[in-house]
Amino acid sequence: MLFVCLGNICRSPMAEGAFRVAAQERGLAVLVDSAGTASYHLGLEPDPRAIAAARANGIDIAGQAARQIERDDFYRFSHIIAMDRANLESLQSKAPRAGTARLAMLLDAVEGRRGEPVADPYYGDAAAFEAAWQVISRGTQAWADKLLRESTQASA
Ligand code: 4NP
């Protein structure tokens, strides 16, 4: 699972952290990472407000470093999950023709919320980051549930 937003310093690092825990809780062994469609923040750790929101919810994301999506990602990951429609469109335009990753939006896995974006909290306050965390947590748990269902179906 590769989670993607614009800068890879706010939403997708929170999604990476939340999904790691959701996968672990369900006993899923999955390659997890995050990336940005843009290159503004390469090598930087997540925004301090994203680190704080994750920490307030018991998850440490401080060790992450921002990177940009690359060609190999479309072959290495089975799913590339965008936070909003602009991220998805950017991924669609970068995807190699023979890429094997499935592209989707985070809330596509949440019943009744297909196609909804995770609002960018970058210009918001701590409350905007907490709200983003809650939405992201919901979305990542839904993806983990979906992968678990698919893996138990496949082995049945
Ligand atoms: P992210 O948030 O895409 O969730 O990491 C943003 C980070 C940086 C900028 C915009 C959004 N920026 O314009 O620098």
Side-chain angles (χ1 to χ4, degrees), residues 4-14 35-38 40-41 47 49-50 66 83-84 87 118-123 129 136:
V4 170
C5 61
L6 178 65
N8 193 209
I9 55 167
C10 300
R11 292 165 292 173
S12 62
M14 292 195 282
T37 59
Y40 318 129
H41 307 284
D47 187 288
R49 299 165 296 174
M83 297 298 122
D84 64 29
N87 306 150
V118 178
D120 186 353
Y122 187 65
Y123 296 104
F129 276 78
I136 287 167

Side-chain angles (χ1 to χ4, degrees), residues 3 10-11 16 20 41 45-46 49 62 70 77 94 96 101 116 144:
F3 296 94
C10 300
R11 292 165 292 173
E16 177 186 336
R20 274 186 201 288
H41 307 284
E45 69 172 19
R49 299 165 296 174
E70 52 191 54
F77 293 92
K94 289 170 196 270
E116 272 185 45

